[in-house]
Amino acid sequence: GQGQGQGQGQGQGQGQGQGQGQGQGQGQVQGQERELAAERHAAFVRLFEGTPWDPLPSAAPRVMREIDYNWLSEHLRINIVLWRLLVLKLLGRLEERDCRGVADWVLACQQPCGGFGGNVDHDAHLLYTFSAIQVLCILDCLGKIDTDKVARFVAGLQQEDGSFFGDLWGEVDTRFSYLAVACLSLLGKLDYINKKKAVAFVMKCHNTDGGFGAVPDAESHAGQVFCCISALSILQAVDVKGLNKDKLGWWLAERQVFPGGGPNGRPDKLADACYCWWVLAPLRILEKLQWIDTRAVANYILDCQKESGGIADRPEEMVDLYHTYHGLAGLSLLGTRYNVAAMDPVYQLPVDVVNRVFSKSTSNNAIMGRVELTDTINKCELATQTENNCEIAYKHNMARMFSIRKNGNLDEEALSTTTTLLETNPNFYVAFNYRREILLHMRTTNGCANLHLIAIACTNTNTNTKRGVLLSELQSCT
């Protein structure tokens, strides 16, 4: 797998979850409702509540202790701590016992240069420095570190062209651009870097297909798109010249894979639950979340749940902490239906945590882009609520149509009901058949007397295609 965001490689798999209905037969536009197994997920992540340097208690499965989460994960232990805290926070189950001793351990991971390593005595890197800042933000412990020292470490990694090294060894990646500006923004130290050059380098990685790559001329990838759009958002440059937001929105929307409904990271790849975050977050920043089938994405995440707790990359695979967190984070962007705390789509932190951090900051550099982002979140919440209301109205009208059809109604009420249904779902075959019965009855019984009703139905239809269908019906009736 290709590592993104926090830099952890993850396998990609094809989602087998049931997607959204096709609007045929009984006119159902939604798949079967799934439930979030919140308690089981909380129990799963609490398997990792040992000490950060040995996170699994003896009760954990042997294979997890000996392979996946001990010596093979030693270098990213700070991420395990972060993902565990975030899952519990998103589920509303973060307790004092979950946080005990964590802040002191994170501080022990800081190196003399000011950056943080993935574990005690590990080398400093931007990836782990950002994770450390996120953990301290959750715990409300940013005041325990020398923020200037951390900021100097981050700023010292910026290069002349505006790019950032991940550490002293010189790897360049747009992930590091995001991590750098996100760190400095949370610390209120964005003035430590050349922001214009940072924006210029990110835009050099913007591809003709609309996406972003790790470096100039590199393949577009959803993880890179998240990093670049989030960095531009923090730097108040989402409207920068040369960025075609519609084209980028379509590139992201085309990541959704059917059947299944889950997103992939790049063209011709398989769906993976972690991309429910990497794809949906930039769509939300761009205010284009409605461009995808959000219910199908949610169902894909819920299909990746396991009875024992946790979320896998795809339904038939094993669960892990990484996909459990990113699956829940993606679900949080889809509104309040699933009782998951709201996530900030830029900082990868709960909204209440980000608001608390910025409310304490006295630096203008700390709040760059926050007003615009808050407006975006509010608009997306409104759009989600509107979608939910439309779904409720659709189901109500569908039940009403079947009821009045069963009673043999072929009147103005029946015509109005089918008009409303077909406005929402033009492929609803039963509604079309019922409509034809109504129009035929009107023509047979009243001749031209009821043609004004048909004309009104055509006038109220808001697309040329559907209006053309209705006008052809009108002609056949005359």
Side-chain angles (χ1 to χ4, degrees), residues 179-461:
L179 295 167
V181 299
C183 278
L184 295 176
S185 179
L186 291 169
L187 297 175
K189 307 291 183 181
L190 273 173
D191 55 353
Y192 274 53
I193 61 170
N194 188 318
K195 295 186 284 290
K196 289 185 178 179
K197 287 187 175 181
V199 170
F201 176 75
V202 169
M203 289 305 298
K204 286 180 182 176
C205 301
H206 189 29
N207 293 323
T208 56
D209 62 4
F212 286 85
V215 293
D217 300 321
E219 179 185 15
S220 295
H221 193 285
Q224 251 65 44
V225 169
F226 164 81
C227 291
C228 292
I229 290 301
S230 295
L232 292 175
S233 177
I234 293 171
L235 297 170
Q236 293 184 318
V238 173
D239 294 319
V240 64
K241 182 179 180 181
L243 177 59
N244 187 330
K245 290 187 282 187
D246 283 345
K247 193 172 187 179
L248 174 56
W250 278 119
W251 188 92
L252 288 165
E254 289 171 349
R255 302 282 61 75
Q256 191 166 26
V257 179
F258 288 98
N264 61 21
R266 49 191 169 137
D268 297 321
K269 295 295 181 179
L270 304 176
D272 187 319
C274 71
Y275 291 114
C276 296
W277 170 261
W278 304 124
V279 171
L280 267 62
L283 279 173
R284 186 154 193 179
I285 295 170
L286 295 170
E287 300 183 47
K288 300 185 187 301
L289 199 57
Q290 69 276 15
W291 285 17
I292 63 171
D293 185 342
T294 54
R295 178 61 65 83
V297 174
N299 283 341
Y300 178 81
I301 296 170
L302 298 175
D303 283 337
C304 290
Q305 299 179 114
K306 300 298 179 183
E307 287 295 325
S308 57
I311 296 174
D313 55 346
R314 55 187 186 273
E316 69 273 19
E317 297 295 338
M318 289 180 60
V319 300
D320 58 65
L321 188 55
Y322 174 89
H323 287 93
T324 300
Y325 158 60
H326 285 94
L328 290 173
L331 207 59
S332 77
L333 298 174
L334 301 177
T336 59
R337 179 195 299 260
Y338 303 100
N339 294 319
V340 179
M343 280 285 283
D344 186 294
V346 168
Y347 291 96
Q348 300 185 73
L349 285 169
V351 169
D352 65 321
V353 172
V354 176
N355 289 340
R356 169 167 42 79
V357 170
F358 288 126
S359 69
K360 292 183 177 182
S361 176
T362 59
S363 169
N364 288 333
N365 287 294
I367 59 175
M368 292 188 69
R370 293 308 300 161
V371 174
E372 293 85 350
L373 182 58
T374 300
D375 289 344
T376 297
I377 292 174
N378 291 338
K379 289 177 182 177
C380 289
E381 289 288 357
L382 179 61
T384 300
Q385 185 60 48
T386 301
E387 179 184 346
N388 292 341
N389 291 340
C390 288
E391 177 190 343
I392 293 171
Y394 181 87
K395 290 180 176 179
H396 170 77
N397 285 322
M398 182 177 64
R400 181 184 177 194
M401 184 203 71
F402 280 109
S403 175
I404 60 179
R405 189 189 193 197
K406 185 177 181 180
N407 293 332
N409 291 24
L410 297 170
D411 54 13
E412 182 177 350
E413 178 191 8
L415 180 64
S416 175
T417 301
T418 57
T419 298
T420 302
L421 283 170
L422 291 170
E423 282 285 332
T424 304
N425 182 7
N427 296 316
F428 193 174
Y429 185 65
V430 175
F432 258 122
N433 286 342
Y434 185 26
R435 185 181 188 81
R436 291 185 177 103
E437 294 174 16
I438 298 167
L439 293 173
L440 181 61
H441 173 75
M442 287 182 172
R443 177 180 181 276
T444 302
T445 58
N446 296 307
C448 294
N450 286 324
L451 289 181
H452 72 283
L453 297 176
I454 306 173
I456 290 172
C458 293
T459 303
N460 291 337
T461 304

Side-chain angles (χ1 to χ4, degrees), residues 137-191:
C137 285
I138 294 170
L139 301 176
D140 198 13
C141 291
L142 273 182
K144 291 189 174 184
I145 60 174
D146 183 342
T147 56
D148 286 316
K149 186 176 183 180
V150 179
R152 286 193 295 271
F153 165 76
V154 174
L157 295 172
Q158 188 174 30
Q159 304 306 300
E160 184 60 31
D161 64 353
S163 65
F164 286 84
F165 288 170
D167 59 12
L168 60 85
W169 294 104
E171 180 186 6
V172 171
D173 193 310
T174 47
R175 287 178 299 154
F176 307 151
S177 295
Y178 162 70
L179 295 167
V181 299
C183 278
L184 295 176
S185 179
L186 291 169
L187 297 175
K189 307 291 183 181
L190 273 173
D191 55 353

Side-chain angles (χ1 to χ4, degrees), residues 6 45 52 76-90 94 102 105-106 127-139 321 325-326 343 347-350:
Q6 295 295 338
V45 300
L76 51 87
R77 201 55 52 80
I78 202 165
N79 297 106
I80 292 177
V81 172
L82 172 65
W83 298 331
R84 174 176 164 272
L85 292 177
L86 282 171
V87 168
L88 294 173
K89 178 74 173 172
L90 287 172
L94 185 62
V102 173
W105 177 80
V106 170
L127 291 166
Y128 308 119
T129 299
F130 181 55
S131 293
I133 297 301
Q134 287 176 294
V135 171
L136 295 175
C137 285
I138 294 170
L139 301 176
L321 188 55
Y325 158 60
H326 285 94
M343 280 285 283
Y347 291 96
Q348 300 185 73
L349 285 169

